C-alpha cells in the first residue's frame, strides 16, 4: 500500500505522463522479462532525480536506477519500490562541475577531441556521433546496447576496448552527500565489468570521452566489421542481457559451458544459446525464475566439470 502523501509529493516532482504504476519490467529490459514495479519514473534531469531520491529516502521507499535495462534480470515478482530510469527522457548535460547545461539530448563536442554525453544517451548514438565527427575510439562500443550511465557502472567493453580506455571523467550525483562531482578515471576505479559507482551509491549523470581525430571511412569500416562479427556470433534475434557470465581469468565462459555439454540446455522458455553458449536467451516467453534456475544449473555443472565457478555478469533485481 503506497502512502498517499508520498504519491502526492511524487506527482509534484514528476509529471503524470512519466510516472507508471505497477509497470511491468519486461517492457524495460532487453531480456523482455520482469514483473511489476511499484512506481516507474523516467527523469529528465538532475533536479528531478535528486528530488525523487530524497523523497524515497524520506519515506523509506527503496529505489533503483536503470539505464537501458540491457544487463538486468528482474524477478517475476517485480520490485517493490521505485525504479528511476535515466534513459531516453534524460536531457540535461553537465558542462562543468555542478552547472547544468542547456537541455540537449545528443552528445556534444566540448573541445577538440573531447566529447561529452548525458548518462541517458545510448552508446550506439554516442559512437555514431563520434563517427559523424571523424573521432575514433568508440568503435568497439557501437554494438553494446546500453546507456552511457550503465556503461560507466559496468566498465562496458568489447573487442579489446573498454570504457576506461576512452573516458576522461564522469559526473556523478552522490546520493549520500547530495553533491555533484566530477570523477577522474582513477577515481572511478574501473576494472573488468566494474567501477566504483555501485559501491558508493553514486548516480552517473554524464561523462566525457577523450577520442582521437580519425578518418571517417576507417571508423565506419571498423564499426561495420564489429557489427558483422556480432551478428555472426551472437544470438541477436532473441531477447537476452548479453553475456550471462563474467569471463573467468584464464578461461572463456562460453567454452566452459559448451565443454560441459550445456549448449542448447533449456529450462522452460530460457535456453543456453545454440549460437553462443555464453548467452542465455529468452527463447520462448521465459520467466525470470527459469532463467535463474538455468543459471544455477550451469554454474553447478561447470564447477563440477572444471572447478571454475562462473560469476554472473547479469545483475539480478528483486526476489529470486
Ligand atoms: C545483445 C547484448 C549484447 C551485449 N554486449 C555487451 C558487450 O559487448 N560488452 C558489455 O560490456 N556489455 C554488453 N552487454 C550488456 C550491457 O549492454 C552492458 O552491461 C551495458 O553497459 C548496460 O547498460 P544499461 O544502460 O543497459 O544498464 P542497465 O542494465 O539499465 O543497468 C546496469 C547497472 O547499471 C546501473 N545503472 C544504470 N544506469 C546508471 C546510472 N546512470 N547511474 C548509476 N547506476 C546506473 C543499474 O543500477 C545496474 O546496476 C550486452 C547486452 C546485450 C543485450
Amino acid at each position: 500500500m503506497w502512502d498517499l502523501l508520498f504519491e502526492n509529493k511524487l506527482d509534484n516532482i514528476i509529471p503524470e505522463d512519466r510516472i507508471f504504476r505497477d509497470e511491468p519490467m519486461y517492457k524495460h529490459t532487453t531480456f523482455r522479462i520482469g514483473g511489476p514495479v511499484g512506481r516507474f519514473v523516467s527523469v529528465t534531469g538532475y533536479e528531478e532525480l535528486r528530488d525523487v531520491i530524497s523523497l524515497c529516502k524520506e519515506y523509506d521507499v527503496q529505489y533503483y536506477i536503470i539505464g537501458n535495462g540491457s544487463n538486468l534480470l528482474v524477478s517475476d515478482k517485480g520490485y517493490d519500490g521505485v525504479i528511476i530510469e535515466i534513459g531516453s527522457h534524460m536531457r540535461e548535460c553537465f558542462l562543468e562541475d555542478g552547472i547544468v547545461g542547456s537541455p540537449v539530448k545528443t552528445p556534444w563536442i566540448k573541445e577538440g577531441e573531447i566529447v561529452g554525453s548525458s548518462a541517458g544517451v545510448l552508446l550506439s548514438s554516442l559512437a555514431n556521433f563520434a563517427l559523424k565527427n571523424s573521432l575514433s575510439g568508440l568503435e568497439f562500443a557501437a554494438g553494446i546496447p546500453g546507456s552511457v550511465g550503465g556503461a560507466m557502472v559496468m566498465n562496458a567493453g568489447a573487442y579489446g576496448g573498454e570504457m576506461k580506455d576512452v573516458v576522461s571523467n564522469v559526473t556523478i550525483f552522490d546520493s549520500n552527500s547530495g553533491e555533484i562531482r566530477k570523477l577522474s578515471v582513477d577515481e572511478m576505479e574501473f576494472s573488468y565489468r566494474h567501477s566504483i559507482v555501485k559501491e558508493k551509491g553514486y548516480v552517473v549523470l554524464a561523462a566525457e570521452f577523450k577520442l582521437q581525430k580519425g578518418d571517417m571511412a576507417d571508423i565506419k569500416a571498423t564499426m561495420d566489421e564489429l557489427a558483422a562479427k556480432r551478428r555472426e556470433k551472437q544470438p541477436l534475434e532473441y531477447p537476452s542481457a548479453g553475456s550471462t557470465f563474467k569471463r573467468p581469468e584464464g578461461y572463456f565462459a562460453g567454452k566452459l559451458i559448451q565443454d560441459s555439454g550445456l549448449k542448447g540446455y533449456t529450462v522452460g522458455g530460457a535456453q543456453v544459446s545454440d549460437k553462443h553458449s555464453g548467452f542465455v536467451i529468452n527463447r520462448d516467453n521465459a520467466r525470470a525464475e527459469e532463467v535463474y534456475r538455468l543459471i544455477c544449473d550451469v554454474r553447478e555443472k561447470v564447477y563440477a566439470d572444471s572447478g571454475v565457478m562462473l560469476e554472473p555478469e547479469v545483475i539480478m533485481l528483486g526476489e529470486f
Side-chain angles (χ1 to χ4, degrees), residues 4 29 75 82 103 108 132 138 147 149 162 164 221 244 285 313 319:
L4 264 181
T29 60
S75 162
V82 177
W108 65 93
K132 279 191 197 113
L138 280 164
S147 66
E162 275 184 322
K164 76 169 170 46
T244 312
N285 293 316
E313 178 172 324
E319 240 180 80

Side-chain angles (χ1 to χ4, degrees), residues 15 27 42 62 139 179 218 230 234 286 311:
K27 289 188 179 171
S42 190
Q62 60 175 347
E139 294 86 330
E179 284 174 316
D218 290 348
R230 269 187 198 272
Q234 300 183 357
E311 287 306 321

Side-chain angles (χ1 to χ4, degrees), residues 28-31 64-72 84 86 119-123 140 143-159 161 163 172 193 197-198 201-206 230 234-236 238-243 279 313 315:
H28 303 279
T29 60
T30 54
F31 239 142
Y64 193 83
I65 308 287
I66 70 160
N68 199 41
S70 65
N71 203 35
L72 288 181
I84 305 172
I86 299 191
V121 169
L122 289 176
L123 289 178
F140 77 89
I144 303 176
S147 66
V148 165
M152 295 305 107
V153 175
M154 301 301 300
N155 184 24
Y159 304 111
M163 285 297 134
I172 57 97
R193 300 297 173 266
V197 173
K198 272 241 130 355
Y202 294 157
V203 183
V204 178
L205 299 174
R230 269 187 198 272
Q234 300 183 357
L236 301 181
Y238 290 103
S240 79
S243 298
F279 277 55
E313 178 172 324
I315 296 170

Side-chain angles (χ1 to χ4, degrees), residues 84-100:
I84 305 172
E85 182 199 50
I86 299 191
S88 53
H89 289 101
M90 184 80 170
R91 301 181 65 91
E92 282 175 358
C93 63
F94 293 78
L95 299 179
E96 293 304 332
D97 283 315
I99 301 174
V100 180

Side-chain angles (χ1 to χ4, degrees), residues 10-55:
L10 187 62
D11 286 344
N12 287 334
I13 301 169
I14 307 280
E16 192 56 25
D17 63 339
R18 282 189 282 109
I19 305 179
F20 301 90
R21 293 174 169 79
D22 300 323
E23 176 73 356
M25 281 304 288
Y26 68 77
K27 289 188 179 171
H28 303 279
T29 60
T30 54
F31 239 142
R32 298 283 170 258
I33 293 174
V37 52
R39 300 292 176 266
F40 183 98
V41 300
S42 190
V43 295
T44 54
Y46 158 67
E47 285 181 2
E48 286 185 355
L49 173 78
R50 178 199 60 198
D51 293 350
V52 173
I53 290 180
S54 99
L55 181 66

Side-chain angles (χ1 to χ4, degrees), residues 233-305:
K233 304 262 182 222
Q234 300 183 357
L236 301 181
E237 58 281 25
Y238 290 103
S240 79
S243 298
T244 312
F245 300 99
K246 291 185 181 169
R247 193 180 56 235
E249 234 179 286
Y251 300 91
F252 289 100
K255 169 94 172 53
L256 290 172
I257 294 167
Q258 197 170 322
D259 291 350
S260 278
L262 291 168
K263 195 182 199 142
Y265 176 66
T266 302
V267 175
Q271 187 178 60
V272 172
S273 163
D274 278 336
K275 199 168 174 184
H276 186 320
S277 306
F279 277 55
V280 172
I281 55 169
N282 177 357
R283 173 87 208 225
D284 184 16
N285 293 316
R287 295 171 56 75
E289 181 209 333
E290 293 164 349
V291 176
Y292 180 72
R293 261 178 30 226
L294 184 147
I295 288 175
C296 294
D297 291 353
V298 167
R299 293 183 80 197
E300 219 171 273
K301 178 85 165 70
V302 167
Y303 184 68
D305 292 350

